[in-house]
Amino acid sequence: MYLLICFSNKALQLLLCSSKLQTIMNRFSSFLLSVIIFHCLKLSSAACHVDDEAGLLGFKSGITQDPSGMLSSWKKGTDCCTWEGVRCLDGKRVNAVTLFGQPEPNSFLSGTISPSLAKVRNLDGIYLQNLRNISGNFPALLFQLPKLLFVYIENNKLSGPLPGNIGNLTKLASLSLPGNRFTGPIPDSISQLTELTQLNLGRNLLTGKIPVGIRQLKKLGVFMLDHNRLTGTIPDFFNSFTELRTLVLSHNEFIGNIPGSIASLAPTLVYLELGHNVLTGRIPDYIGKFKALDTLDLSSNRFAGVVPKSLANLTKIFNLHLSRNFLVDPFPALNVKGIESLDLSYNQFHLKEIPKWVTSSPIIFSLKLAKCGIKMNLSKWKPAETYFYDFIDLSENEISGSPVSLLNRTDYLLEFSASGNKLNFNLGSLRIPKTMKSLDLSRNSVIGKVPNAVSGLEKLNVSYNHLCGKLPATKFPASAFVGNDCLCGVPLPPCKTKS
């Protein structure tokens, strides 16, 4: 019986080139030797390539905290293709690093992105998403990876400016850096990334204007710059984008009108979000041509005039947010099979009642019609479906009756607001779902006692009603209960004892 020993690739090559090869050949047949050599090579190829191992372990060394053990499988001398978050294209060389933080506590990484990662020369994708505590500047190592196509470094703490030479990453198909702390302007050289299909720089601290050179990125399908501090007008360059499906520029400081070239996106656009800017003028009539539109958000701007009748052509619209503008009657009836989220609050509408196309929706989860001139009896409102409701806001209207039949049919409602109406019912008859976090019934004509169930809420306001009796033990301030007929007990004055 012979003891067979596998050597490393290098040692095996030296052995085969040495005089000892003849001795081995004398003891084994050529066939058996070939089997041994193949077996040894196979075992040696299972370990990391030396550069990949050095690059990945260098990355790990830059991580200062890993409370969930995300990188615990990254061990020297083992097959790196089996490490968590490491992907190998052919079972030999690493081509992607994919690390995702989870919603659970302690599922994150702290530290920096080590430049050693540049040693993993075959990387085509870097996905470091929701790790929360990865800090440092824009990683310069990206410029040293010749095959890099996809960069998703999202929801971390990278900071500083985007590099002026970012345009040198000409092979990139996706650049996604939302949820970091990048500052300064978007470099003009970004216009050189002509292979990009996705550009997402949202939720950073970027300033300045949108570079007009972005018109050169004609392959864009996703363009997101939301939640920054960008200024100026929105460039009128959208004729260049024939494949754009998502345009999200909300939560900035853009001024002026909606550029006319956005009309050219009608055949493809699914998401159009321009809310929370300083945009003015009227909502353009061509919006009705966006037959594929799922989401339209123009909220918190300064749009005026009527909502175009052509909006009725948006039969696939699921999310419509037009709140906090200066829009006036009449609001068009929509021809939708179901609306998921609707917010028309704080305009100058006089709807009189909740629209029928809302009442008939089988899937709605958010309904916000605050200060919309509604004068109906809520007891008589019978929506087709209440199961999916998460949010209802009917504040600042002239709604009478009782919400009891409505709320007692909901199982997953998170927030209900109906302050400043004419509701008249006994609060004790209201079933408060276990899921509910916020209840605002202030400035109505609600009677009865405050039930113990409110103690499970995070927010409560029942001030200025006709409630009476001793308050249950809660964490809410006195402002949540003031202005009632005879409520007493902490945090209000103590109840009077009978003598």
Side-chain angles (χ1 to χ4, degrees):
M1 179 178 289
Y2 297 98
L3 178 64
L4 304 182
I5 301 175
C6 288
F7 300 85
S8 68
N9 280 344
K10 186 174 181 180
L12 186 60
Q13 290 170 3
L14 291 174
L15 173 63
L16 294 177
C17 293
S18 71
S19 59
K20 294 181 180 180
L21 176 61
Q22 188 61 44
T23 304
I24 294 176
M25 288 296 294
N26 291 336
R27 294 188 178 185
F28 298 94
S29 68
S30 297
F31 173 76
L32 183 56
L33 180 61
S34 66
V35 171
I36 294 170
I37 294 173
F38 174 77
H39 179 67
C40 293
L41 287 173
K42 184 176 181 181
L43 287 179
S44 64
S45 67
C48 258
H49 186 280
V50 61
D51 291 338
D52 291 349
E53 183 180 70
L56 292 172
L57 292 179
F59 173 85
K60 183 179 180 179
S61 70
I63 301 303
T64 56
Q65 292 185 52
D66 180 12
S68 64
M70 195 179 302
L71 304 182
S72 60
S73 61
W74 292 31
K75 296 178 180 178
K76 184 177 177 63
T78 61
D79 181 4
C80 59
C81 293
T82 65
W83 296 356
E84 181 176 351
V86 176
R87 188 179 70 199
C88 298
L89 184 63
D90 53 9
K92 298 179 181 179
R93 297 302 303 268
V94 174
N95 76 303
V97 176
T98 306
L99 298 172
F100 295 94
Q102 302 299 325
E104 293 79 12
N106 298 325
S107 179
F108 58 86
L109 294 178
S110 297
T112 58
I113 302 175
S114 170
S116 296
L117 198 59
K119 296 177 181 179
V120 190
R121 299 288 289 173
N122 287 282
L123 277 180
D124 63 27
I126 296 177
Y127 308 85
L128 306 177
Q129 297 169 286
N130 303 314
L131 301 177
R132 285 177 277 182
N133 291 331
I134 299 295
S135 58
N137 295 332
F138 183 92
L141 67 95
L142 302 184
F143 295 100
Q144 303 173 49
L145 296 171
K147 298 182 179 181
L148 193 61
L149 299 175
F150 308 102
V151 175
Y152 291 81
I153 305 177
E154 304 176 349
N155 299 318
N156 287 288
K157 292 180 179 177
L158 297 185
S159 58
L162 297 176
N165 64 337
I166 198 170
N168 291 345
L169 299 170
T170 53
K171 291 185 178 180
L172 282 188
S174 296
L175 178 61
S176 189
L177 305 172
N180 284 287
R181 298 174 179 177
F182 290 116
T183 56
I186 300 172
D188 289 336
S189 71
I190 206 165
S191 62
Q192 299 170 28
L193 305 182
T194 54
E195 296 300 312
L196 281 184
T197 61
Q198 178 173 344
L199 176 60
N200 187 350
L201 303 177
R203 289 178 284 117
N204 280 286
L205 302 171
L206 299 173
T207 55
K209 299 182 178 181
I210 298 178
V212 293
I214 285 180
R215 71 167 69 241
Q216 304 299 325
L217 311 185
K218 298 180 180 181
K219 296 182 180 180
L220 279 183
V222 174
F223 183 29
M224 303 176 69
L225 301 176
D226 58 289
H227 291 83
N228 279 288
R229 300 173 181 176
L230 300 172
T231 56
T233 58
I234 298 174
D236 197 10
F237 58 15
F238 293 95
N239 290 325
S240 299
F241 307 118
T242 59
E243 301 178 31
L244 199 63
R245 301 180 307 279
T246 299
L247 176 60
V248 180
L249 305 177
S250 53
H251 292 269
N252 280 288
E253 300 171 23
F254 294 124
I255 61 173
N257 296 343
I258 297 177
S261 62
I262 283 185
S264 66
L265 305 178
T268 58
L269 204 65
V270 178
Y271 302 97
L272 176 58
E273 300 184 25
L274 304 177
H276 294 266
N277 283 291
V278 199
L279 300 175
T280 54
R282 291 174 174 260
I283 298 175
D285 189 66
Y286 64 67
I287 289 292
K289 297 180 180 179
F290 288 68
K291 299 296 180 65
L293 206 61
D294 172 288
T295 298
L296 175 63
D297 183 359
L298 303 178
S299 61
S300 295
N301 279 287
R302 298 180 181 176
F303 293 116
V306 297
V307 176
K309 293 181 180 179
S310 63
L311 218 67
N313 297 329
L314 304 183
T315 57
K316 295 183 179 180
I317 195 83
F318 284 120
N319 305 286
L320 179 60
H321 300 162
L322 303 178
S323 64
R324 300 183 186 277
N325 282 287
F326 302 99
L327 303 171
V328 299
D329 298 324
F331 191 88
L334 299 192
N335 298 315
V336 292
K337 294 181 180 179
I339 190 88
E340 292 182 354
S341 176
L342 176 68
D343 192 351
L344 304 179
S345 303
Y346 301 106
N347 281 284
Q348 297 172 20
F349 296 133
H350 300 84
L351 300 182
K352 296 184 179 179
E353 63 180 12
I354 297 174
K356 291 181 174 58
W357 49 271
V358 174
T359 300
S360 61
S361 178
I363 54 174
I364 189 165
F365 71 88
S366 179
L367 175 63
K368 297 183 178 181
L369 298 175
K371 204 172 183 179
C372 280
I374 298 174
K375 298 183 178 182
M376 65 187 295
N377 187 317
L378 195 58
S379 306
K380 298 179 180 179
W381 186 52
K382 306 296 181 184
E385 181 58 70
T386 59
Y387 181 84
F388 294 104
Y389 271 111
D390 288 338
F391 308 95
I392 298 176
D393 186 356
L394 301 173
S395 304
E396 308 295 332
N397 285 291
E398 296 181 44
I399 298 173
S400 60
S402 168
V404 171
S405 62
L406 169 65
L407 268 60
N408 283 7
R409 291 172 56 200
T410 61
D411 291 315
Y412 298 100
L413 193 64
L414 296 174
E415 297 181 12
F416 181 77
S417 299
S419 63
N421 280 285
K422 299 179 179 180
L423 296 178
N424 187 347
F425 68 101
N426 191 313
L427 186 58
S429 63
L430 184 67
R431 181 181 67 89
I432 299 177
K434 293 181 179 180
T435 57
M436 185 174 282
K437 303 298 183 184
S438 176
L439 177 64
D440 188 351
L441 296 170
S442 59
R443 293 178 290 119
N444 279 282
S445 298
V446 184
I447 63 172
K449 295 183 178 181
V450 177
N452 293 331
V454 302
S455 61
L457 298 173
E458 294 179 0
K459 294 182 179 180
L460 174 69
N461 192 348
V462 291
S463 61
Y464 299 98
N465 281 285
H466 300 295
L467 299 169
C468 200
K470 184 178 180 180
L471 288 171
T474 70
K475 57 189 175 184
F476 305 113
S479 58
F481 306 107
V482 297
N484 280 282
D485 292 348
C486 50
L487 287 179
C488 59
V490 180
L492 298 179
C495 299
K496 296 179 180 179
T497 57
K498 293 182 180 180
S499 55

